[in-house]
Amino acid sequence: MAGSKQAMMLSGIMQKILNVFLLGLTVILTLFLGRETYHLGQVLFLKNDESSSYLLIEGIVTYFLYFEFIALIVKYFSSGYHFPLRYFIYIGITAIIRLIIVDHTSPLDTLLYSFAILILVITLFLANSERLRRE
């Protein structure tokens, strides 16, 4: 019984450390989100060349990545210290879309990235099915 009590205490301490670092990560991501908002405003209102639309789209997708990571951390705390699988899948899909936008020089790579998105969408469908849903 004493070993079990020590394990529970150690687990609680580790959970508190994890929570503190996740809160720190949230602050850092929020700062980057603010910086990305500033850069999006500059691209939208100050630059009027052809590359500005490309930079705007790339910035928007990057913005959503920051937003999704912050939402994942919020969901972690609101769901009793649990990371839902589907949030990681959303982040993966968004990251691959950003990769396609940024690096679309090779048609074969773009096709492979598209297949990766298809696999993630199928995984998302399976993860949201009634048999696997935890929430």
Side-chain angles (χ1 to χ4, degrees), residues 29-42 63 66:
L29 288 172
T30 303
L31 292 173
F32 279 121
L33 186 65
R35 188 179 76 175
E36 192 64 34
T37 302
Y38 175 74
H39 289 297
L40 280 174
Q42 282 186 326
Y63 191 87
Y66 288 129

Coordinates of all heavy atoms in Angstrom, one line a residue, residues 29-42 63 66:
L29 N 2.8 30.4 -27.3 CA 2.0 30.3 -28.5 C 1.1 31.5 -28.7 O 0.8 32.0 -29.8 CB 1.1 29.0 -28.5 CG 1.9 27.7 -28.7 CD1 1.0 26.5 -28.4 CD2 2.5 27.6 -30.0
T30 N 0.5 32.0 -27.6 CA -0.3 33.2 -27.7 C 0.5 34.4 -28.2 O 0.0 35.2 -29.0 CB -0.9 33.5 -26.3 OG1 -1.7 32.4 -25.9 CG2 -1.9 34.7 -26.4
L31 N 1.8 34.5 -27.7 CA 2.6 35.6 -28.2 C 2.9 35.5 -29.7 O 2.9 36.4 -30.4 CB 4.0 35.6 -27.4 CG 3.9 36.1 -25.9 CD1 5.2 35.9 -25.2 CD2 3.4 37.5 -25.8
F32 N 3.2 34.2 -30.1 CA 3.4 34.0 -31.5 C 2.1 34.3 -32.3 O 2.2 34.8 -33.5 CB 3.9 32.6 -31.8 CG 5.3 32.4 -31.6 CD1 5.8 31.4 -30.6 CD2 6.3 33.1 -32.3 CE1 7.1 31.3 -30.4 CE2 7.6 32.9 -32.1 CZ 8.1 32.0 -31.1
L33 N 1.0 33.9 -31.8 CA -0.3 34.2 -32.4 C -0.5 35.7 -32.6 O -0.9 36.2 -33.7 CB -1.5 33.6 -31.7 CG -2.8 33.7 -32.3 CD1 -2.9 32.8 -33.5 CD2 -3.9 33.2 -31.3
G34 N -0.1 36.5 -31.6 CA -0.2 37.9 -31.7 C 0.8 38.5 -32.7 O 0.4 39.4 -33.5
R35 N 2.0 37.9 -32.8 CA 2.9 38.3 -33.8 C 2.5 38.0 -35.2 O 2.6 38.8 -36.1 CB 4.3 37.7 -33.5 CG 5.4 38.2 -34.4 CD 6.7 37.6 -34.1 NE 6.7 36.2 -34.7 CZ 7.7 35.4 -34.7 NH1 8.8 35.7 -34.1 NH2 7.6 34.2 -35.3
E36 N 1.9 36.8 -35.3 CA 1.3 36.4 -36.7 C 0.2 37.3 -37.1 O 0.0 37.7 -38.2 CB 0.9 35.0 -36.6 CG 0.6 34.4 -38.0 CD 1.8 34.3 -38.9 OE1 2.9 34.1 -38.4 OE2 1.6 34.5 -40.1
T37 N -0.7 37.8 -36.1 CA -1.7 38.7 -36.4 C -1.2 40.0 -36.9 O -1.7 40.6 -37.9 CB -2.6 38.9 -35.1 OG1 -3.1 37.7 -34.7 CG2 -3.8 39.9 -35.4
Y38 N -0.1 40.5 -36.3 CA 0.5 41.7 -36.7 C 1.1 41.6 -38.1 O 0.9 42.5 -39.0 CB 1.6 42.1 -35.7 CG 2.5 43.3 -36.1 CD1 2.0 44.6 -36.0 CD2 3.8 43.1 -36.7 CE1 2.7 45.7 -36.4 CE2 4.5 44.2 -37.0 CZ 4.0 45.5 -36.9 OH 4.7 46.5 -37.3
H39 N 1.7 40.5 -38.4 CA 2.3 40.2 -39.8 C 1.2 40.1 -40.8 O 1.3 40.6 -41.9 CB 3.2 39.0 -39.8 CG 4.5 39.2 -39.1 ND1 5.4 40.1 -39.5 CD2 5.0 38.6 -38.0 CE1 6.5 40.1 -38.7 NE2 6.2 39.2 -37.8
L40 N 0.1 39.5 -40.4 CA -1.1 39.3 -41.4 C -1.6 40.7 -41.7 O -2.0 41.0 -42.8 CB -2.1 38.4 -40.8 CG -1.9 36.9 -40.9 CD1 -3.0 36.2 -40.2 CD2 -1.9 36.5 -42.4
G41 N -1.7 41.6 -40.7 CA -2.2 42.9 -40.9 C -1.3 43.7 -41.8 O -1.7 44.4 -42.7
Q42 N 0.0 43.5 -41.6 CA 1.0 44.2 -42.5 C 0.8 43.7 -44.0 O 0.8 44.5 -44.9 CB 2.4 43.9 -42.1 CG 2.8 44.8 -40.9 CD 4.3 44.6 -40.6 OE1 4.8 43.5 -40.8 NE2 5.0 45.6 -40.2
Y63 N -1.5 30.8 -38.9 CA -2.3 31.4 -37.8 C -3.2 30.3 -37.3 O -3.4 30.1 -36.0 CB -3.2 32.5 -38.4 CG -3.9 33.3 -37.4 CD1 -3.3 34.4 -36.8 CD2 -5.2 33.1 -37.1 CE1 -3.9 35.2 -35.8 CE2 -5.9 33.8 -36.1 CZ -5.3 34.9 -35.5 OH -5.9 35.7 -34.6
Y66 N -1.3 27.9 -34.9 CA -1.1 28.4 -33.6 C -2.5 28.3 -32.8 O -2.5 27.8 -31.7 CB -0.7 29.8 -33.6 CG 0.7 30.0 -34.0 CD1 1.1 30.9 -35.0 CD2 1.8 29.3 -33.4 CE1 2.4 31.1 -35.4 CE2 3.1 29.5 -33.7 CZ 3.4 30.4 -34.7 OH 4.7 30.6 -35.1

